[in-house]
Amino acid sequence: MTTSDSGTPRAYILSFQCPDRLGVVANYSQLFLQVGAFITEISNYSDPVTATFHLRCVFDDRAMTVSFEEFSERFAELASEMNMRYRLRPADQLPRVLLAVSRYDHCLVALLTKWRSGALPAEIVGVVSNHEDCRSQVEWYGLPYHYLPVTPATKPQQEAQLLALIREQQVDLLVLARYMQILSDDLCRQLEGRAINIHHSFLPGFKGAKPYHQAYDRGVKVIGATAHYVTSDLDEGPIIAQEVKAIDHQVSVEQMIHLGHDTEATALSQAVRLHCEERVQLNGQRTVIL
């Protein structure tokens, strides 16, 4: 049995998905019973369209008869037999997150505030930006600020620097907190499932410049924001979280922008939290939230 330094049981998070078939639950449950893994939280979903099974559980080692390393090896064998894609880690081993921002700071500030208060289960390792505007705010939190300016001519070199930083810092998740640069197709592929963006619209919505002005001109009655995984299809990646706000004809463009910033910050913070808690699983172009 392995416990934390305080002597209390150590918790672990397991999430997996696999082809849905008879015996999936029985097989993983039998392994848990054999090694004494004590389940404290569980959520699962069987998708009838894609015929996939999705599961997330939290367990601790209060009654485990083998080490976590041995359990990991035995689960890897089961995963191979059941054709599972899975993630398994100690709950206190937080994902390493790198934030990217340009000039708008509302999403950045929301994430940093939640991280500082302990409400965001992540280890933020730094902030990267193509502008200097947010440096003082980031350094106030004691985080490194990586200034990587970019022009159309230097974009490949700048993205190479960004990727090198991600590898050097062993980053698990890149969060585009209103980072106003389109990532190249190659970088999107390398970061598949490991980069989250916020779109200033309740997708599908108004693309391009001045989305709130477009929305105002069309007289919309609901505005919102969408947090999604980054793909080479701009703003069309699998959706993780969305927020909406009802408005009426009295709301000005400026008020819409302020309300929109609130929904952006909330949706992005929620998406990052869900990802860091291993609750999000890709299921084709969709996501399953457990």
Side-chain angles (χ1 to χ4, degrees), residues 264-285:
E264 291 168 20
T266 300
L268 184 59
S269 297
Q270 182 184 9
V272 173
R273 177 184 60 79
L274 291 171
H275 179 96
C276 291
E277 291 178 346
E278 309 289 353
R279 295 184 183 277
V280 188
Q281 294 186 4
L282 289 170
N283 187 23
Q285 292 300 307

Side-chain angles (χ1 to χ4, degrees), residues 44-233:
N44 61 265
Y45 172 67
S46 177
D47 191 328
V49 177
T50 60
T52 54
F53 181 78
H54 304 260
L55 182 140
R56 175 191 183 271
C57 74
V58 180
F59 65 95
D60 65 40
D61 58 7
R62 72 184 73 178
M64 282 184 70
T65 56
V66 300
S67 66
F68 176 66
E69 290 70 25
E70 181 176 340
F71 172 79
S72 299
E73 292 175 2
R74 292 178 63 173
F75 190 84
E77 294 176 2
L78 176 62
S80 178
E81 294 173 8
M82 305 294 291
N83 195 21
M84 291 178 178
R85 285 186 293 164
Y86 75 97
R87 295 189 296 268
L88 173 64
R89 66 171 173 85
D92 58 5
Q93 197 173 86
L94 301 178
R96 294 173 63 81
V97 175
L98 178 67
L99 306 181
V101 67
S102 288
R103 284 182 164 141
Y104 291 114
D105 64 0
H106 50 285
C107 289
L108 172 71
V109 170
L111 289 166
L112 292 178
T113 300
K114 289 181 179 296
W115 166 71
R116 187 72 169 266
S117 69
L120 189 67
E123 181 182 352
I124 296 181
V125 299
V127 176
V128 63
S129 179
N130 57 324
H131 295 281
E132 289 277 17
D133 300 55
C134 298
R135 177 181 290 276
S136 60
Q137 290 166 292
V138 171
E139 292 181 344
W140 184 85
Y141 281 92
L143 292 169
Y145 190 83
H146 306 277
Y147 174 49
L148 301 180
V150 61
T151 67
T154 63
K155 190 177 184 69
Q157 293 84 355
Q158 192 255 15
E159 286 198 345
Q161 289 179 289
L162 174 59
L163 193 57
L165 179 63
I166 289 172
R167 289 170 176 163
E168 174 191 320
Q169 293 296 320
Q170 298 179 306
V171 170
D172 299 302
L173 178 68
L174 174 67
V175 179
L176 307 183
R178 291 307 299 271
Y179 179 66
M180 308 305 287
Q181 290 289 318
I182 298 174
L183 303 186
S184 67
D185 290 354
D186 179 61
L187 186 56
C188 288
R189 281 191 292 270
Q190 295 195 58
L191 296 176
E192 182 180 5
R194 297 192 298 130
I196 295 175
N197 192 20
I198 184 67
H199 183 73
H200 44 213
S201 176
F202 185 56
L203 292 176
F206 303 102
K207 298 183 180 181
K210 298 186 176 180
Y212 292 109
H213 291 76
Q214 296 180 54
Y216 179 82
D217 290 340
R218 294 287 298 276
V220 300
K221 298 299 182 281
V222 173
I223 61 173
T226 301
H228 61 89
Y229 284 115
V230 174
T231 66
S232 55
D233 294 322

